[in-house]
Amino acid sequence: MFFALNEEQLAVQEAAREFAQKELKPGVIERDSTMAYPTEQVRMMGELGFMGMMVSPEYGGGGMDTLSYVLAMEEISKIDNSCSVIMSVNNSLVCWGLETYGTEAQKTKYLTKLATGEWIGAFCLSEPEAGSDATSQRTTAVDMGDHYLLNGTKNWITNGGSSKVHLVVAQTDADLGHKGINVFIVESDWEGVSVGAKEDKLGIRSSDTHTIMYSDVKVPKENRIGENGFGFKFAMKTLTGGRIGIAAQALGIAGGAYELSVAYAKEREAFGKPIARHQAIAFKLADMFKDIEAAKMLVYRSAWLKDQGMDYSSASSMAKLFASEAAMKHTVEAVQVHGGYGFVKEYHVERLMRDAKITQIYEGTSEVQRIVMSRNLLKGQLYIPVTGSGVHV
Ligand code: CAA
């Protein structure tokens, strides 16, 4: 097995780390406090190529592999998870889905602007009564001949206020269940689209999460993605890749809290020596180290499997589940390592702890990841194979 990153991947990692430290860290506490949307920071992410990293250069993207995207997500998530979720949704849920399943006309019209960050995209699947149970869509799109008429409400939509392009999941034929679901490209300024107030959240507070209402919105026929009835599969396939991005976010959160904890524990003294020299703290750091390295292997491998064109469904669920649980557990520990300082905003770890929670919820809860993995293993996938080698890891 070969674990080294190539030169391009190392350069992306370095660029993202530098950007996060220089441009995101100053102001991140204030943005979290005031819930101010990071307009300028998102503009810079577009300029630096972080908004369409995997999109082919033909459509204005960076043409990079999934591992490069993961490395960038990880570094940015060590500092600012509002920025990293905005980036993740645009890259993996919107751009990837459009590039993989969109028509040439859809790619030319929408992807070229989304890949550069000129436009931001939102993925509109969740509803007040359809979260984990994603097939229970109440939003409807009625075929009117030359267009569809869209009606419904979507909840907890990341990029809900800032996006120009919505990928909206809707039921076109309730009798067909998940086979009667389609996805439509909707522009946010079309008549009948309205956006509710920004949610006041526990974490990722400056990202813009909104309810979006669609009332008799006319959607041109050519804005349906894929064959009639492909929508649920489109959502599932897109989320399978999206989960790698969120796993990388969780890995970054855990890594950020760990780096801060190591630095603090080496400096802070108690009972005559740095607290890192006390076993009570040293063992916490060792456990963080272990789980972050394990999460890294799972997250990087899921990205690698995707790039090899291999099945990455269990791998991405496993990576997201493990990394998000590690992020939650170790950000709590990071606050503990920092003691009283950990409980105040200035030291960053309390924010990372609040941000960690959402990684166990969005793009499929931890319970949904277990559904995906257990179904795959019961179908016969006992291990995740490695191409051609006959080796199982
Ligand atoms: N790829 C391709 N097809 C898939 C698939 C996948 N990964 N997963 C399921 N399917 C197909 C199945 O094969 C099946 O098709 P057939 O009938 O033709 O065989 C069809 O989809 C229905 O599958 P299931 O019977 O497994 O569906 P289910 O109702 O039991 O639900 C589930 C399965 C895994 C729980 C799914 O509903 C799910 O993933 N729920 C979570 C939704 C989610 O992640 N929401 C996140 C919202 S977006 C977000 O959070 C973005 C953000 O803001 C950051």
Side-chain angles (χ1 to χ4, degrees), residues 56-196:
S56 82
E58 188 188 342
Y59 299 108
M64 292 179 201
D65 59 11
T66 310
L67 186 50
S68 299
Y69 162 61
V70 158
L71 294 167
M73 276 294 297
E74 187 184 342
E75 290 307 322
I76 290 172
S77 301
K78 286 178 182 173
I79 307 294
D80 189 334
N81 287 285
S82 293
C83 282
S84 67
V85 72
I86 293 165
M87 170 179 161
S88 178
V89 167
N90 202 66
N91 274 275
S92 33
L93 296 188
V94 179
C95 287
W96 185 85
L98 268 176
E99 181 159 29
T100 311
Y101 300 109
T103 63
E104 205 46 50
Q106 290 167 350
K107 292 185 210 180
T108 306
K109 183 167 179 189
Y110 295 107
L111 184 59
T112 48
K113 292 201 163 71
L114 289 161
T116 57
E118 183 182 341
W119 286 353
I120 304 293
F123 187 78
C124 307
L125 170 66
S126 302
E127 298 187 352
E129 287 165 84
S132 292
D133 184 7
T135 55
S136 296
Q137 294 288 310
R138 299 264 172 96
T139 297
T140 55
V142 179
D143 190 340
M144 307 295 281
D146 64 336
H147 66 272
Y148 286 92
L149 204 59
L150 182 70
N151 278 287
T153 300
K154 296 291 176 180
N155 263 29
W156 311 296
I157 303 304
T158 302
N159 299 342
S162 57
S163 49
K164 161 79 175 168
V165 176
H166 301 171
L167 301 190
V168 185
V169 182
Q171 193 81 53
T172 47
D173 188 341
D175 293 341
L176 295 178
H178 73 79
K179 294 193 166 86
I181 288 176
N182 278 290
V183 174
F184 302 93
I185 305 168
V186 175
E187 296 182 34
S188 58
D189 49 7
W190 283 354
E191 206 178 323
V193 179
S194 52
V195 177

Side-chain angles (χ1 to χ4, degrees), residues 17 21 25 74-81 248-266 275 281 284-289 292 323-339 342 347-357:
R17 176 177 265 270
Q21 295 290 336
K25 199 167 181 181
E74 187 184 342
E75 290 307 322
I76 290 172
S77 301
K78 286 178 182 173
I79 307 294
D80 189 334
N81 287 285
Q249 181 180 51
L251 176 60
I253 294 173
Y258 167 67
E259 288 174 18
L260 289 166
S261 299
V262 172
Y264 179 81
K266 281 161 102 175
I275 60 170
I281 301 298
K284 284 190 199 302
L285 300 177
D287 281 343
M288 288 181 192
F289 188 18
I292 289 166
S324 61
E325 292 197 339
M328 196 66 255
K329 178 175 170 195
H330 293 304
T331 50
V332 171
E333 288 292 68
V335 172
Q336 194 69 18
V337 168
H338 282 73
Y347 281 75
H348 297 284
V349 285
E350 64 81 36
R351 185 185 70 260
L352 292 171
M353 181 182 78
R354 288 186 283 105
D355 288 348
K357 187 61 207 168

